[in-house]
Amino acid sequence: MNPQAKFVSTISLLLGTSITISSNHWVMAWAGLEINTLAILPLISKSHHPRAIEASTKYFLVQATASTLLLFSSMTNAWFSGQWDITQLTHPMACTLLTTAISIKLGLVPFHFWFPEVLQGSTLSTCLLLATIMKFPPTTLFYLTSPSLNPTLLSLMAVASVALGGWMGLNQTQVRKILAFSSIAHLGWMTIILIYNPNLTLITFYLYTMTTSAIFFTLNVTNTLKLSTMMTAWTKIPSLTSVFMLTLLSLTGLPPLTGFLPKWLIIMELTKQELTMMATIITLLSLLGLFFYLRLAYCATITLPPNFTNYMKQWQTNKLVNLLTTTFTALSIMLLPLSPMILTIP
């Protein structure tokens, strides 16, 4: 891809995200989301592979539909209440339409169908953007409108997302699809607590972004796309692959790693709200995700490759990628003792 075009797309992504998260007016928020969508399309289709073109087409159609619904929701609310302010969402139909629009943009069940296919058709660096930065503006809109949303609808979608994200990830062999279903499951955890403690949703999103970034950086360094190639990655960079196992277990939510913190806080908050049954259900459903994370960790560190070809250890020449990989990996493993400070972030 042309460096100038990549630079323009990257700046547009930052601009669109900044506009959406800092706006109070629905039209400005919608404009920021549209800039984001148009900026990411060249990055998805840059390999010119038929699967990449298909992924960019699917992404454009789905995001255009979601943006239309979001604009229609804000216009409906403005028609009945005279307010264009994001926090003044009061009409029931507008609230339902907004929930649908943001759910499509995020990939929540039952609007998840596009996300695994788009990730499978993109490069690892674009997958990282789609799974993290591109979800930040819609999550911010959810955060701002959380007092107006329907708790029953959000809870149903959240439980369905955790269940389907874990269930569909079980039989996958493509690492990008596994991480796509992992993202859907984590979105379920973020959504279920949105009504009761929106700050906790943001904390969960920040920690999920950090851990997922560490995983994608590691996959990018080892050039791993399938489980079969993951089995040979340990011969290239043994130390990185060993730490990669801990990062995967952190994304699972096992103590004493960083990923345990958001799930622990969400379960405690649901229990305080007398939603013990819901907390029990999503905790049990997260065991499905535990299975395929352990499968990834097993393939990455314990399984011997079928052929004993000698590999030369790779020279690590890209110092920026090395620094980012090391930083995000360390943070995604060792932040649990800093829980009191993390709770003050929002």
Side-chain angles (χ1 to χ4, degrees):
M1 189 178 181
N2 190 333
Q4 285 81 12
K6 186 182 284 189
F7 176 75
V8 170
S9 295
T10 307
I11 293 298
S12 299
L13 271 177
L14 295 174
L15 176 66
T17 303
S18 303
I19 289 173
T20 301
I21 66 177
S22 60
S23 59
N24 291 319
H25 198 281
W26 275 115
V27 175
M28 287 297 291
W30 171 81
L33 291 172
E34 287 301 292
I35 292 172
N36 261 1
T37 301
L38 295 175
I40 197 72
L41 288 175
L43 297 176
I44 298 174
S45 59
K46 67 182 177 182
S47 63
H48 301 295
H49 189 275
R51 187 177 280 274
I53 303 301
E54 178 190 348
S56 59
T57 307
K58 285 179 179 175
Y59 185 80
F60 173 74
L61 293 174
V62 169
Q63 296 297 315
T65 305
S67 295
T68 306
L69 276 176
L70 187 139
L71 196 58
F72 183 60
S73 162
S74 57
M75 289 174 66
T76 304
N77 187 68
W79 179 269
F80 284 101
S81 67
Q83 289 285 339
W84 283 97
D85 194 283
I86 291 178
T87 56
Q88 302 298 320
L89 194 70
T90 53
H91 195 266
M93 182 187 291
C95 294
T96 306
L97 285 172
L98 178 79
T99 305
T100 306
I102 302 297
S103 301
I104 294 173
K105 280 198 167 289
L106 288 173
L108 276 169
V109 175
F111 310 107
H112 65 283
F113 51 88
W114 62 273
F115 191 57
E117 298 298 325
V118 171
L119 250 64
Q120 183 59 28
S122 308
T123 61
L124 284 171
S125 54
T126 310
C127 287
L128 171 61
L129 293 175
L130 287 169
T132 55
I133 294 175
M134 295 301 293
K135 292 189 183 297
F136 189 40
T139 305
T140 306
L141 291 180
F142 254 168
Y143 176 83
L144 292 173
T145 57
S146 57
S148 309
L149 302 179
N150 185 345
T152 308
L153 179 60
L154 281 179
S155 298
L156 287 174
M157 293 170 70
V159 172
S161 297
V162 176
L164 188 131
W167 191 262
M168 294 296 289
L170 292 178
N171 63 343
Q172 301 294 332
T173 57
Q174 299 288 333
V175 176
R176 284 170 292 184
K177 278 198 173 180
I178 291 175
L179 290 173
F181 287 114
S182 159
S183 177
I184 292 170
H186 278 84
L187 281 171
W189 282 87
M190 295 175 211
T191 308
I192 203 165
I193 203 64
L194 181 67
I195 298 291
Y196 310 105
N197 192 343
N199 289 340
L200 200 46
T201 298
L202 283 186
I203 290 175
T204 308
F205 179 78
Y206 296 151
L207 295 178
Y208 162 76
T209 299
M210 188 173 57
T211 312
T212 305
S213 300
I215 288 176
F216 273 113
F217 282 132
T218 305
L219 293 174
N220 205 15
V221 169
T222 56
N223 196 22
T224 302
L225 297 176
K226 296 185 292 186
L227 289 181
S228 57
T229 55
M230 187 178 279
M231 294 176 188
T232 61
W234 69 273
T235 56
K236 300 175 187 176
I237 314 173
S239 55
L240 181 61
T241 314
S242 302
V243 178
F244 179 58
M245 178 182 72
L246 292 176
T247 313
L248 285 168
L249 295 179
S250 177
L251 196 61
T252 308
L254 291 181
L257 304 170
T258 305
F260 173 65
L261 174 62
K263 293 187 176 180
W264 173 42
L265 294 174
I266 288 171
I267 291 168
M268 281 205 309
E269 184 64 32
L270 287 174
T271 308
K272 285 179 189 173
Q273 300 291 336
E274 298 183 357
L275 296 168
T276 313
M277 182 58 69
M278 195 173 294
T280 306
I281 289 170
I282 62 165
T283 306
L284 291 175
L285 288 174
S286 67
L287 294 176
L288 293 168
L290 174 63
F291 177 82
F292 64 74
Y293 289 125
L294 287 176
R295 186 169 162 224
L296 279 172
Y298 177 77
C299 289
T301 55
I302 302 173
T303 307
L304 288 173
N307 55 337
F308 294 93
T309 309
N310 290 324
Y311 288 92
M312 293 291 291
K313 286 198 173 79
Q314 293 181 348
W315 282 98
Q316 301 301 307
T317 53
N318 193 332
K319 292 196 172 142
L320 177 61
V321 172
N322 290 345
L323 178 64
L324 290 173
T325 307
T326 308
T327 305
F328 280 112
T329 302
L331 291 174
S332 64
I333 293 172
M334 299 187 291
L335 276 187
L336 189 61
L338 300 178
S339 308
M341 188 178 74
I342 293 172
L343 288 173
T344 64
I345 287 176

